[in-house]
Amino acid sequence: MSFPATHIWFDANDLSAISNVNITRLTPQNTPDMVSGQFDLANRDGGKLLTKYYRNKTIVVEGYILSTTRATAETARDNLLDKTTGLEKTLEFMQAGSIRRYYATLTGTTFAELEGGMMSFVLTFSCADPFGYKPTYTTNTKANQTTANWTWAYTIAGTWNATPLLRFTINGLHNTFSDGLLQISRYDSATATKYETITIYRDWTSDNGKVIEIDCVNQTVKLAGQEIDYWGTFFDLPKGSGAIRCEQYDSTFASNYFLELSSYMEYNERYL
């Protein structure tokens, strides 16, 4: 008896490489579970959908154990379960022609009655983070800028929004004064609209050569590796084309160029 095998890795363990274990089916194609908030309209038909977000994703792995003896088959079952323990570990397999990574926990197992040395099984993995990821970072850079206000265009790949890590290297200080305000925003160039913004206000006079890091995944703002004060809202970048806006203001809140900056972005492509 022969079935096609599918390679799948959990916590870097190749489940197909376990002796006597054969993976036959993998079901990652269903979209994550969606939660929506709909409210009725007052004294009329219909309603209004106000919120929508994804909660979790379920991935099912099916296969069979085939061995010459009952004892060996049961050992293969033990080995399979041993390799699939752990909380929110990486679950990786080929999807759309390349490796895709999920963060999964085994939440259910079904093993059929052992018949000689053969039994089928179903493993159910739950992904609290509902998205699949490209394991390697996608990057975007912008050369050194020598004006107070500028726009950084990008294109986000994948089928869902990306959560970026942004780094701005200070390559020079200009227009000497003590305090200045740096504002980094998600931006719509077509309508000149600023959305979520991170704002840093400080004395920059000793910061030449340092790196400003805005980590939207861990929601931290750092200068030279140390967390600093800021205000505002961290942002995701919607898939497709978009922009980031950088603006500088002096202590009177007038537009004023004082930081010469080059920029770097990295993110993992996300997929539904």
Side-chain angles (χ1 to χ4, degrees), residues 19-250:
S19 295
N20 303 311
V21 171
N22 301 272
I23 307 297
T24 60
R25 182 176 296 175
L26 176 65
T27 60
Q29 308 302 340
N30 292 335
T31 58
D33 295 337
M34 188 184 73
V35 179
S36 60
Q38 180 172 318
F39 297 86
D40 294 337
L41 298 177
N43 301 316
R44 58 184 295 187
D45 297 329
K48 183 68 174 177
L49 189 67
L50 296 180
T51 62
K52 185 190 85 167
Y53 58 92
Y54 292 103
R55 174 177 288 164
N56 68 289
K57 184 182 180 79
T58 299
I59 297 175
V60 177
V61 178
E62 299 180 20
Y64 66 95
I65 294 172
L66 182 62
S67 181
T68 56
T69 67
R70 182 184 183 93
T72 308
E74 289 176 332
T75 297
R77 172 191 174 276
D78 291 344
N79 290 336
L80 178 60
L81 292 177
D82 179 60
K83 299 297 185 184
T84 51
T85 60
L87 185 67
E88 294 193 345
K89 300 298 184 179
T90 55
L91 180 69
E92 298 179 319
F93 44 81
M94 293 294 293
Q95 193 172 355
S98 62
I99 292 291
R100 193 162 296 175
R101 175 179 293 167
Y102 295 84
Y103 295 93
T105 303
L106 181 65
T107 55
T109 61
T110 301
F111 288 88
E113 185 67 25
L114 185 59
E115 298 178 0
M118 181 177 179
M119 72 173 112
S120 61
F121 62 81
V122 178
L123 307 179
T124 302
F125 291 91
S126 180
C127 305
D129 181 339
F131 306 110
Y133 291 82
K134 182 180 178 180
T136 56
Y137 287 117
T138 299
T139 62
N140 187 311
T141 60
K142 189 172 182 64
N144 198 45
Q145 300 298 300
T146 57
T147 59
N149 305 316
W150 46 270
T151 302
W152 179 11
Y154 59 78
T155 300
I156 299 298
T159 61
W160 193 244
N161 304 339
T163 305
L165 172 69
L166 306 172
R167 293 192 181 102
F168 302 89
T169 301
I170 302 173
N171 298 310
L173 301 174
H174 302 271
N175 295 338
T176 56
F177 53 86
S178 60
D179 299 331
L181 183 149
L182 175 66
Q183 192 173 81
I184 306 295
S185 308
R186 184 171 69 87
Y187 187 69
D188 185 337
S189 297
T191 61
T193 301
K194 290 190 292 185
Y195 296 100
E196 301 91 348
T197 297
I198 294 293
T199 300
I200 304 167
Y201 183 72
R202 63 182 281 113
D203 180 350
W204 301 92
T205 53
S206 61
D207 293 332
N208 192 30
K210 296 180 180 179
V211 175
I212 306 160
E213 180 182 274
I214 299 174
D215 186 343
C216 295
V217 176
N218 297 302
Q219 300 194 347
T220 59
V221 177
K222 296 180 180 179
L223 180 69
Q226 302 297 315
E227 291 195 35
I228 59 173
D229 292 335
Y230 70 93
W231 70 87
T233 304
F234 293 94
F235 43 79
D236 285 352
L237 302 179
K239 64 185 179 67
S241 298
I244 289 171
R245 180 74 171 169
C246 176
E247 297 179 346
Q248 301 177 30
Y249 301 91
D250 61 27

